[in-house]
Amino acid sequence: MPLLENGHHVADRWTALPDAEPVPDDGPVLVSLDRLKAEADTLWTRSAPIGVRLPNDVPVSALVAAVGGALDRLSLIVLSFPAFKDGRAYTQARQLRDTHGYQGSLRATGDVLRDQLYFMARCGIDAVEIDSTDPEGDWQASVTTFGAVYQPASDDRTPISVQRLAALGRKGVAA
Amino acid sequence: MYQYDAHDQALVDQRVSEFRDQVSRRLSGALTEDQFKPLRLMNGLYLQLHAYMLRVAIPYGTLSSHQMRVLAHIARRYDRGYGHFTTRQNIQYNWIKLADAPDILADLAAEQMHAIQTSGNCIRNVTSDPWAGVAADEIEDPRIAAEILRQWSTFHPEFSFLPRKFKIAITGAPTDRAAVKVHDIGLRMHRDERGAVGYEVIVGGGLGRTPIIGKTLRPFLPKEHLLSYLEAIMRVYNTHGRRDNMYKARIKILVEALGIDEFRRQVEAEWEPLRDGALRLPPETYAAITERFAPPLYEQRTGSVATLVRDPETDPALARWVQANVAPHKVPGYGIVNISLKGTGQIPGDATASQMELVAKMADLYSLGEIRVTHEQNLVLPHVRLSDLPALWRTLDAGDLATPNVGLISDIIACPGLDYCSLANARSIPLAQALSERFSDMTRAQAIGPLHINISGCINACAHHHVGHIGVLGVDRKGEELYQITLGGRSDEAAALGRIVGPAVPAHQAIEMIAGFVDTYLAIRHPGELFIDTVERLGTAPFKETLHAAA
Ligand code: SF4
């Protein structure tokens, strides 16, 4: 399935490791949360990046505990959208980004449709696996649907309310 | 009233383009119905028994006369010449073609309207007191906070795919005309001991299959924390609300399952990192929105609704209408005129395009161009000079819009029921029409006094039958349409659920039962006692005796 990172179609450099398979010595690997907990000692001694799959019914706090509070030891967290209408991972994304300050990559997988990309991007998701013939076009069309936003979220867009206040301030100074 | 600025306008315009593209992808087959469904639902478009139904948002029930004319135009051009005002202060059109939907949204956008988040599992149109800004008993205009909430919840990236729909209501007055205790979140404005205005936050109320009166989550929330606190509530709900069973997915089920104390603990934990963040509402932001709800320029006048009614010079028919339909305004010399959409034999909440245009014209002439929609499915002209009442009344009367029954027994709330709705067990509309004919004597209706009848066609309770003084629920028993009656429900500040009296019966018997309950009440009430107070004082027992007597 095509992978987009920050809107660009890229090859997936991550090896998604089933739980039964041995961990290779190098190269970025993506493991389950259970495995991360069970094999923490060996996994963290590797020099290559580690990523983890976070199911959407596991609290973000469980992942934070599993990495001893240091989320930035992870380079990738893969979120799951089992169905278009199951929106739990949007909250996980925002908790990871805003509450816990996670800086690595956040990837959406599952039932990902172009019409969700806008919401995902605003929640701090920077990568998606999307079944599409024109993934880059989809990303571009979706994230630019709305020229402005009403609410602060996990991206760097300035909400309309703040823009309005700034405009008032400018007027005030001029007057 | 609130006017869009360039930001608001750009967003609704962009939404129209987005939906036009989605509809064309659907019509070309690029999107399957399964993929298209959540997208059309985000734009208020449902597939009903006979056609598409489009629900248009009327934020907190406030409309300009221009907007009302657009609603009339849509009824005429794209529907069958009428629309249906709903219990959530919106309007629905029942005969819409999919291919027309983008054009309809474009026509709406041109007059600062939309259908955004009127359906789907997102935060729905925030509802409020239809008398907001003019009610004599108000602390502060609740539409300011409602508009702030509208903006915050519009295209909210985190809360557009919730376990289930989410409804917020807000009242700014001690008398609750917004039914805040039966919403997912209810906000009741009040003052703390230092006089500062804030909100009691009530959570987990709702009707439907599992009717529950909401519980107090926080007795007093300062204004500045409104958005951060609500974001914390939504976050807990989005994470833990059930997704395996749509009948158990509302927040009320989660609150019941966790218990209010544990739910509160989780909300507070989520709130802690949010409360002083980007969602904090500085007074300037509040002030900027407040300015856009600045009261209109009223004239210096005198007089009150009460004196007008008592004046022996007043035409008795006019006096009766004023008594029932005109409420006290906060400004002397003005009244709040309620227009009943419950004429005898009429479909509750329906208005024809010509009636909408007439109301728009009356608003321009007599109400500073402003109109409200109530959750009782009536309309309001909020700023009418008392001296204009006779002329206004005559014109409304000529347009069949002066039925003097607001709040009375024939002011029935009814859902579309089996005539339109694919979920219905029974018809609601014909029963409402028959009841309104049974109680068409307005002199008697005024003698009976305030009494709310609510009729839902199934347990989804769109007409809020659990909180009707007399509630009627349509049930299906082996293909027969029957009606189950409850007594003693109310949705105001003393909100309570009605109790079942008697077995479910066919429509003609339901009408006789209700007529019998009214006779019983008239026989046993204390002088001046309202129907609901008699039921509260004596319980349902004396009414059950009516049933035995009839059997
Ligand atoms: S109460 Fe039932 S029948 Fe009535 S509109 Fe709602 S879902 Fe349809």
Side-chain angles (χ1 to χ4, degrees), chain B residues 172-186:
Chain B
T175 302
D176 178 7
R177 288 171 290 261
V180 302
K181 288 189 175 173
V182 291
H183 282 76
D184 295 294
I185 292 178

Side-chain angles (χ1 to χ4, degrees), chain A residues 90-141:
Chain A
Y90 294 103
T91 284
Q92 289 178 319
R94 295 211 58 203
Q95 288 171 322
L96 286 165
R97 291 289 190 215
D98 299 358
T99 317
H100 300 285
Y102 171 67
Q103 305 274 335
S105 185
L106 261 187
R107 183 193 294 188
T109 60
D111 190 13
V112 176
L113 280 182
R114 135 181 174 180
D115 305 275
Q116 288 159 294
L117 299 177
Y118 167 80
F119 301 107
M120 290 180 173
R122 294 223 61 214
C123 287
I125 291 171
D126 57 338
V128 295
E129 290 174 17
I130 182 168
D131 185 8
S132 163
T133 48
D134 179 18
E136 292 195 358
D138 286 352
W139 177 273
Q140 202 45 37

Side-chain angles (χ1 to χ4, degrees), chain B residues 265-479:
Chain B
R265 193 194 62 73
Q266 296 194 11
V267 168
E268 299 277 326
E270 283 297 338
W271 188 42
E272 203 41 49
L274 292 174
R275 60 180 287 168
D276 294 313
L279 283 168
R280 206 177 67 80
L281 275 170
E284 307 84 74
T285 302
Y286 210 88
I289 301 285
T290 305
E291 216 167 86
R292 296 164 69 182
F293 287 97
L297 286 175
Y298 296 108
E299 297 162 16
Q300 287 275 358
R301 308 184 76 85
T302 54
S304 73
V305 174
T307 41
L308 189 76
V309 172
R310 280 198 303 268
D311 186 345
E313 301 282 293
T314 308
D315 174 335
L318 169 64
R320 189 168 63 186
W321 175 75
V322 172
Q323 165 101 27
N325 291 28
V326 184
H329 194 286
K330 66 178 183 188
V331 175
Y334 285 82
I336 305 170
V337 171
N338 294 270
I339 298 174
S340 170
L341 295 180
K342 316 291 178 64
T344 302
Q346 206 195 324
I347 297 176
D350 271 17
T352 63
S354 318
Q355 287 178 322
M356 292 183 221
E357 278 156 358
L358 179 65
V359 171
K361 188 169 159 202
M362 292 302 98
D364 281 336
L365 283 174
Y366 302 120
S367 181
L368 306 171
E370 207 181 308
I371 301 158
R372 307 291 177 79
V373 181
T374 77
H375 84 91
E376 288 93 2
Q377 305 174 282
N378 291 320
L379 299 175
V380 173
L381 298 177
H383 318 283
V384 180
R385 289 182 297 222
L386 296 177
S387 56
D388 286 335
L389 287 176
L392 170 60
W393 170 67
R394 274 191 298 274
T395 317
L396 288 176
D397 196 31
D400 280 334
L401 286 171
T403 313
N405 67 343
V406 167
L408 303 181
I409 188 163
S410 53
D411 184 3
I412 296 166
I413 297 182
C415 77
L418 198 52
D419 291 298
Y420 295 100
C421 176
S422 48
L423 304 170
N425 287 324
R427 285 168 296 169
S428 314
I429 293 170
L431 180 58
Q433 289 170 310
L435 279 167
S436 80
E437 301 205 1
R438 177 67 177 245
F439 294 102
S440 62
D441 176 347
M442 293 299 153
T443 309
R444 181 155 187 269
Q446 292 212 335
I448 296 167
L451 202 171
H452 301 307
I453 299 180
N454 298 49
I455 307 173
S456 303
C458 79
I459 43 175
N460 287 315
C462 297
H464 309 162
H465 64 275
H466 302 105
V467 290
H469 298 167
I470 296 177
V472 182
L473 164 66
V475 294
D476 168 73
R477 201 144 301 151
K478 301 200 185 88

